[in-house]
């Protein structure tokens, strides 16, 4: 069996896995969506399920199975070396017949070239075949921990080549890297994947059938072959790519033209005027020193030929027309200056900037694990991590999203309530909605288009998925639900840009926000009553649904994953279950807009900080027993946590903002109001949209699987954080800032008219 070159290692692992298939059972069909419909939620739950199985490996007495596999491998490896160094024609003839029989299921070219490759391995004079063999994935340490993804070497395989021999009519062939895969029958959340280097005349269909043939001959059908995947550097030109190229070229042309117009017609006159003003000030000072002693106070004009008013006359700055202003809206110079400006106007909530950036960093830290889980080699480490109290802040990092809901409600109410105090409740509500849609939708849709059109070109290799992004098919079918901000309602199980569920919820909350704000214009008690009605409705609805559907308290758990699809689709992304933090934000925003600064006794301040800290820690760390599976919450406790915890977290966030705004923040306020956070806070929206693309490109371009350690994760997270914000800065100048500038130009013109 070890004599079949490229297939040696897959057959070894098939032998080992046949004895494990009956050991596991799990309802994990939700974890295995069709190709092109996957997302990081699927990946994360899949990884946790694998970690649970890896953690129970020893308990299922499978160590003896692995021991047998390792022993077989040692013997077969010895036989292979002996056969290569000691030519035995009778054995080679025997094996060649068996090889021919196995390869008969493939096309003739694949069978001939693969047979030539395998037989060449027995000839120590042939060295070209060793490149093919060496590029194959090989079993290594960690089999007992289900390290059964043997990647191999993609680049070495792609560079391997069989020589042609025209004298006997042999054509050469190149290496084709393919992953042969098999899994135990049933819904088992893991399988075997072996990177193999085979002739490029073999197709994925050939290799899938070949894997089935090997299983049938050597495993009696115990395992099930899954679709083989071949990787190449070729990328198809899709419709999304064509549209993305067209749109990007148009925007780049606008950016280039706008920057040139801005510098030539706007900035240069300003710079010239500044120079002239500086020269004028210098000349004025010199004139005063020369003639100021003449007379006794009549002034310079009455006694000298120097007219000081002449020094103040400068050429008027040319004004741009509407078209020119539209182009200048795309200027990199002006937009970059605005983005990098750290000044804050009076009355701004400085602490919000730091909270926004730190919360986004928290989200990205959690996603460092979520997006990388499929590419982690030592997934059993998840069980160790989930038993660490320090890891709970990552495993239960879902509260970070509630921070953004809270900030959204707070800022919306803060700004809108101030307007209603000036103009009454009958403000231009149409403009209210238009501003929000225009502010979010163009950059959102443009970034989605760029990801669909270009992400497939950002990498290659053994871990690079041919379908980019992973939910591409969902986007091709349901992109319109993103445009309408209803993808959390219409196509929850087939979401495009799955992390955009937050934007849909936020927009839905924004549309109903006048129902929460307008009552405050009549009487504050009416506004409080309206908010309490919505708050009670979301708490009661969530509690009832949680009991009815038996939802757990978290998506990340070493317990069963059978309810995870319902937990995410019916609870986590639904607006009627996530409204609580937004309502708390509205209440706080109105209060800050009305009172500006809230005076509190010292004991109230101390008590507020103590309670906010305690509640925040309870929300994050209160479900530690559910994460580890040691002490899962009862049905009632889970319903209480699901319905109340997010609102409680919002109260903690709002306390921090109120305390910092009112002068009771101390060092916390100094940190959150740090001027660099002003810039980083502006980039948060684009960073949220683009960071899954950055993460996927990084992980999938690796040559080998990622080994989880505290140091490797820390360094990876810091690097991804920096890269994401650098990319976000560029994309903001291309897509977001121009839209803000266009709105100002067009609305100001309409207002003047």
């Amino acid at each position: 069996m070890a004599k079949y070159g490229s297939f040696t290692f897959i057959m070894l692992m098939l032998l080992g896995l046949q004895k494990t298939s009956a050991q596991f059972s799990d309802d994990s069909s939700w974890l295995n969506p069709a190709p092109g419909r996957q997302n990081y939620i699927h990946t994360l739950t899949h990884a946790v399920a694998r970690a649970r199985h890896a953690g129970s490996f020893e308990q299922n007495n499978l160590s003896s199975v692995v021991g047998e596999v390792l022993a077989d491998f040692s013997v077969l490896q010895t036989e292979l070396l002996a056969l290569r160094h000691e030519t035995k024609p009778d054995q080679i003839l025997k094996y060649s017949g068996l090889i021919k029989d196995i390869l008969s299921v493939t096309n003739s070219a694949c069978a001939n070239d693969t047979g030539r490759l395998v037989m060449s391995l027995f000839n120590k004079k042939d060295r070209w075949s060793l490149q093919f063999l060496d590029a194959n994935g090989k079993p290594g340490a960690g089999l007992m921990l289900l390290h059964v993804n043997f990647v191999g070497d993609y680049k070495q395989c792609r560079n391997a080549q069989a020589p042609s021999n025209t004298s006997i009519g042999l054509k050469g062939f190149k290496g084709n890297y393919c992953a042969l895969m098999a899994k135990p029958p049933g819904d088992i959340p893991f399988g075997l994947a072996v990177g193999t280097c085979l002739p490029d005349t073999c197709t994925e269909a050939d290799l899938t059938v070949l894997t089935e043939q090997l299983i049938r001959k050597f495993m009696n059908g115990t395992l099930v072959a899954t679709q083989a995947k071949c990787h190449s550097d070729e990328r198809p030109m899709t419709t999304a790519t064509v549209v993305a190229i067209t749109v990007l070229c148009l925007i780049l042309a606008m950016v280039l033209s706008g920057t040139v117009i801005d510098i030539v017609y706007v900035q240069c006159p300003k710079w010239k005027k500044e120079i002239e003003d500086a020269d004028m000030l210098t000349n004025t000072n010199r004139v005063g020193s020369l003639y100021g002693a003449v007379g006794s106070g009549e002034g310079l004009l009455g006694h000298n030929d120097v007219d000081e008013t002449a020094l103040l006359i400068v050429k008027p700055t040319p004004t741009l027309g509407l078209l020119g202003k539209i182009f200048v809206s795309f200027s990199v110079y002006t937009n970059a200056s605005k983005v990098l400006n750290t000044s804050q106007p009076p009355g701004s909530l400085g602490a919000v900037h730091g909270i926004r950036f730190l919360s986004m960093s928290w989200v990205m830290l959690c996603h460092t694990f979520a997006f990388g889980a499929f590419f982690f080699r030592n997934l059993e480490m998840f069980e160790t991590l989930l038993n660490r109290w320090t890891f709970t802040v990552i495993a239960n990092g879902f509260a970070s999203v509630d921070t953004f809901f809270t900030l959204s409600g707070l800022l919306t109410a803060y700004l809108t309530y101030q307007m209603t105090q000036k103009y009454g409740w009958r403000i231009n509500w149409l403009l209210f909605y238009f501003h929000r849609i225009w502010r979010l939708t163009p950059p959102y849709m443009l970034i989605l288009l760029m990801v669909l059109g270009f992400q497939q070109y950002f990498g290659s290799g053994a871990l690079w998925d041919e379908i980019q992004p992973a939910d591409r098919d969902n986007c091709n079918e349901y992109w319109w639900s993103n445009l309408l901000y209803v993808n959390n309602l219409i196509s929850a199980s087939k979401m495009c840009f799955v992390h955009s569920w937050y934007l849909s919820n936020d927009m839905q909350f924004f549309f109903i926000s006048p129902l929460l704000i307008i009552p405050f214009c009549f009487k504050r008690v009416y506004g409080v009553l309206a908010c309490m009605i919505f708050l009670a409705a979301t708490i009661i609805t969530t509690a009832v649904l949680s009991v009815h559907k038996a939802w757990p308290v978290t998506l990340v758990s070493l317990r069963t994953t059978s309810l995870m699809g319902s937990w995410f689709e019916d609870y986590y992304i639904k607006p009627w279950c996530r409204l609580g933090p937004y309502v708390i934000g509205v209440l706080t925003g109105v209060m800050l807009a009305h009172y500006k600064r809230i005076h509190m006794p010292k004991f109230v301040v101390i008590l507020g900080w103590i309670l906010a800290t305690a509640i925040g820690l309870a929300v994050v760390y209160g479900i530690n027993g559910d994460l580890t599976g040691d002490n899962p919450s009862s049905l009632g406790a889970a319903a209480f946590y699901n319905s109340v915890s997010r609102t409680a977290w919002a109260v903690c966030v709002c306390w921090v903002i109120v305390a910092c705004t009112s002068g009771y923040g101390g060092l916390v306020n100094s940190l959150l109001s740090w001027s660099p956070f002003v810039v980083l806070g502006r980039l948060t929206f684009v960073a949220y949209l683009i960071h899954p693309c950055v993460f996927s490109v990084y992980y999938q371009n690796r040559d080998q699987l990622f080994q989880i350690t505290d140091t490797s994760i820390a360094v990876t997270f810091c690097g991804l954080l920096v890269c994401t914000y650098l990319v976000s800065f560029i994309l903001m100048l291309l897509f977001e800032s121009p839209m803000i500038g266009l709105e100002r130009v067009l609305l100001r013109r309409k207002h003047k008219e």
Side-chain angles (χ1 to χ4, degrees):
M1 183 163 46
K3 292 73 174 180
Y4 305 140
S6 301
F7 308 118
T8 299
F9 305 112
I10 186 172
M11 288 189 288
L12 283 171
M13 289 311 301
L14 295 181
L15 282 173
L17 284 180
Q18 70 168 337
K19 303 173 185 178
T20 72
S21 59
Q23 304 287 343
F24 301 118
S25 62
D26 190 14
D27 179 17
S28 57
S29 58
W30 187 80
L31 302 178
N32 300 286
R37 298 192 181 277
Q38 302 181 36
N39 55 59
Y40 72 94
I41 297 296
H42 296 122
T43 302
L44 178 60
T45 50
H46 183 91
V48 173
R50 287 190 60 186
R52 184 175 66 256
H53 285 302
S56 63
F57 202 70
E58 283 287 346
Q59 300 175 11
N60 286 305
N61 298 320
L62 297 178
S63 57
S64 59
V65 175
V66 176
E68 294 177 15
V69 173
L70 293 175
D72 292 342
F73 176 71
S74 299
V75 173
L76 294 171
Q77 186 179 39
T78 302
E79 292 181 1
L80 176 62
L81 293 174
L83 185 60
R84 180 174 176 83
H85 290 284
E86 298 178 13
T87 303
K88 299 179 180 180
D90 56 334
Q91 290 189 14
I92 294 179
L93 183 63
K94 171 186 174 182
Y95 292 128
S96 64
L98 184 56
I99 293 170
K100 182 178 180 181
D101 183 47
I102 293 175
L103 295 177
S104 63
V105 297
T106 64
N107 69 74
S108 58
C110 175
N112 293 335
D113 291 339
T114 304
R116 179 189 173 192
L117 170 63
V118 175
M119 297 307 297
S120 176
L121 293 171
F122 300 144
N123 186 357
K124 60 183 178 180
K125 294 182 180 180
D126 287 340
R127 304 196 60 83
W128 61 266
S129 58
L130 294 179
Q131 292 290 339
F132 286 80
L133 179 62
D134 190 42
N136 289 328
K138 306 170 182 63
L143 295 179
M144 296 177 63
L145 299 174
L146 295 183
H147 296 180
V148 290
N149 187 351
F150 313 125
V151 178
D153 194 313
Y154 173 82
K155 293 181 179 178
Q156 182 182 14
C157 177
R158 297 288 295 176
N159 292 328
Q161 188 170 359
S164 59
N165 191 335
T166 55
S167 60
I168 57 176
L170 284 178
K171 296 182 179 179
F173 56 85
K174 295 182 178 180
N176 182 27
Y177 180 91
C178 300
L180 305 185
M181 293 177 286
K183 64 186 293 295
D187 294 324
I188 306 300
F190 66 87
L192 168 70
V194 180
T196 58
C197 189
L198 296 170
D200 58 0
T201 50
C202 296
T203 65
E204 290 183 347
D206 290 329
L207 298 179
T208 302
V209 175
L210 182 60
T211 305
E212 294 174 349
Q213 180 77 353
L214 288 170
I215 292 174
R216 187 177 300 110
K217 285 186 174 296
F218 294 98
M219 303 299 301
N220 297 320
T222 304
L223 287 170
V224 178
T226 58
Q227 179 67 42
K229 292 184 178 180
C230 295
H231 299 257
S232 69
D233 297 331
E234 298 179 0
R235 301 290 180 266
M237 181 69 73
T238 63
T239 302
T241 303
V242 175
V243 176
I245 292 174
T246 304
V247 172
L248 183 60
C249 289
L250 178 61
I251 291 177
L252 289 176
M254 293 290 291
V255 168
L256 179 60
S257 302
T259 304
V260 172
I261 294 173
D262 184 27
I263 292 177
V264 173
Y265 293 101
V266 179
Q267 303 305 327
C268 283
K270 287 183 180 180
W271 298 334
K272 184 178 180 181
K273 184 177 183 300
E274 291 173 358
I275 295 174
E276 291 175 347
D277 289 345
D279 291 341
M280 175 182 61
L281 181 60
T282 302
N283 292 334
T284 302
N285 292 335
R286 183 168 61 244
V287 168
S289 65
L290 291 175
Y291 299 99
V294 178
S296 59
E298 286 89 353
L300 301 178
L301 294 179
H303 297 279
N304 306 297
D305 295 331
V306 179
D307 187 355
E308 290 185 17
T309 58
L311 299 176
L312 301 177
I313 299 175
V314 295
K315 296 180 179 179
T317 302
T319 57
L320 295 174
L322 177 61
L323 184 60
K325 291 179 180 179
I326 290 176
F327 273 95
V328 171
S329 299
F330 289 82
S331 170
V332 170
Y333 179 86
T334 296
N335 290 333
S337 300
K338 293 178 181 178
V339 172
L340 298 176
N341 181 20
T342 60
S343 62
Q344 302 183 51
S348 62
L349 308 177
V352 169
H353 303 294
I355 293 175
R356 182 184 288 122
F357 170 72
L358 294 178
S359 297
M360 186 64 228
S361 300
W362 190 5
V363 170
M364 293 176 63
L365 178 60
C366 298
H367 285 176
T368 300
F369 287 89
F371 284 94
F374 189 79
F375 308 97
F376 291 160
R377 178 176 179 270
N378 53 332
L379 274 175
E380 73 282 352
M381 186 67 177
F382 265 98
E383 185 175 17
T384 302
L385 292 174
L386 288 172
N387 282 285
R388 293 183 185 175
W389 70 270
T390 52
F391 190 74
T392 303
V393 72
I394 299 175
N396 193 24
F398 301 103
S400 58
V401 182
D402 294 295
T403 302
F404 287 106
F405 284 137
T406 306
L407 294 179
S408 180
L410 187 149
L411 294 174
T412 298
Y414 182 77
L415 298 174
T416 307
Y417 183 76
Q418 287 180 330
M419 293 183 62
T420 59
Q421 293 302 292
K422 293 181 180 180
Y423 307 109
W425 71 272
R426 294 179 180 177
I427 61 176
N428 191 336
W429 292 106
L430 182 62
L431 186 61
F432 172 82
Y433 289 119
F434 172 80
H435 172 75
R436 182 72 167 189
I437 295 172
W438 181 265
R439 174 69 174 79
L440 299 183
T441 306
Y444 175 23
M445 290 294 103
L446 286 171
I447 289 176
L448 174 58
L449 175 63
M450 296 301 129
V451 171
L452 289 174
F454 294 132
Q455 183 170 323
Q456 62 175 332
Y457 299 104
F458 289 164
S460 64
L463 301 178
W464 184 259
D465 196 340
E466 298 298 313
I467 298 177
Q468 296 289 343
D471 52 3
R472 183 191 65 190
D473 293 347
N474 291 346
C475 291
N476 291 338
E477 187 175 354
Y478 292 103
W479 63 269
W480 55 269
S481 65
N482 294 64
L483 177 62
L484 299 177
Y485 295 96
V486 294
N487 60 338
N488 62 326
L489 303 175
I490 300 298
S491 55
S493 62
K494 299 179 181 179
M495 291 182 67
C496 165
F497 233 39
V498 68
H499 62 292
S500 66
W501 69 266
Y502 163 80
L503 296 178
S504 296
N505 277 269
D506 190 56
M507 184 63 76
Q508 291 156 12
F509 297 159
F510 184 82
F511 267 86
I512 67 170
S513 62
L515 300 178
L516 301 172
I517 299 173
I518 291 178
F520 283 100
C521 299
F522 298 95
K523 278 190 177 182
R524 286 192 292 275
V525 66
Y526 294 164
V528 173
L529 180 61
C531 290
M532 289 299 103
I533 291 174
F534 276 93
L535 190 60
T538 186
I539 290 176
I540 295 173
T541 300
T542 304
V544 171
L545 290 176
S546 184
V547 172
H548 177 68
K549 298 190 176 184
W551 286 333
V553 297
T554 179
L555 183 69
V556 182
S557 174
L558 291 177
R559 297 176 64 204
T560 178
T561 60
S562 59
L563 296 174
M564 289 308 175
S566 173
W567 189 90
F568 177 74
E569 296 174 10
D570 299 331
Y571 163 60
Y572 190 71
I573 65 175
K574 288 298 187 283
W576 44 83
C577 295
R578 304 302 299 267
L579 182 60
Y582 194 88
V583 174
I584 297 298
V586 169
L587 282 168
T588 306
V590 171
M591 181 175 62
L592 288 174
H594 182 78
Y595 293 103
K596 305 300 180 184
R597 176 170 177 166
I598 302 173
H599 298 280
M600 295 177 284
K602 187 175 182 178
F603 80 91
V604 173
V605 174
I606 295 174
L607 181 63
W609 279 109
I610 292 175
L611 289 177
T613 303
I615 294 173
L617 291 175
V619 170
V620 175
Y621 289 95
I623 63 169
N624 191 63
D626 295 272
L627 298 175
T628 62
D630 297 333
N631 186 25
S633 300
S634 63
L635 187 63
F640 176 79
Y641 183 88
N642 290 335
S643 59
V644 175
S645 62
R646 305 187 186 283
T647 301
W649 177 261
V651 171
C652 301
V653 174
C654 288
W655 165 259
V656 174
I657 297 174
V658 170
C660 291
T661 304
S662 302
Y664 306 109
L667 292 176
V668 174
N669 183 52
S670 299
L671 172 64
L672 297 179
S673 301
W674 188 38
S675 57
F677 285 158
V678 177
V679 177
L680 295 172
R682 292 193 185 106
L683 298 174
T684 297
F685 173 59
V686 178
Y688 185 80
L689 289 176
I690 199 62
H691 80 274
C693 174
V694 176
F695 283 32
S696 297
V697 168
Y698 167 74
Y699 281 118
Q700 295 188 45
N701 271 295
R702 294 182 60 85
D703 293 329
Q704 297 294 325
L705 296 176
F706 191 92
Q707 185 77 13
I708 307 176
T709 64
D710 294 336
T711 303
S712 64
I713 285 293
V715 174
T716 299
F717 164 68
C718 292
L720 290 174
L721 183 69
V722 173
C723 289
T724 298
Y725 272 88
L726 288 176
V727 174
S728 300
F729 178 70
I730 296 173
L731 294 181
M732 184 171 188
L733 296 181
L734 291 178
F735 302 143
E736 186 177 10
S737 294
M739 299 303 114
I740 298 174
L742 284 175
E743 182 188 21
R744 290 174 179 170
V745 171
L746 298 177
L747 289 184
R748 284 179 181 176
R749 178 174 181 269
K750 182 178 180 181
H751 178 70
K752 290 180 180 180
E753 292 177 351

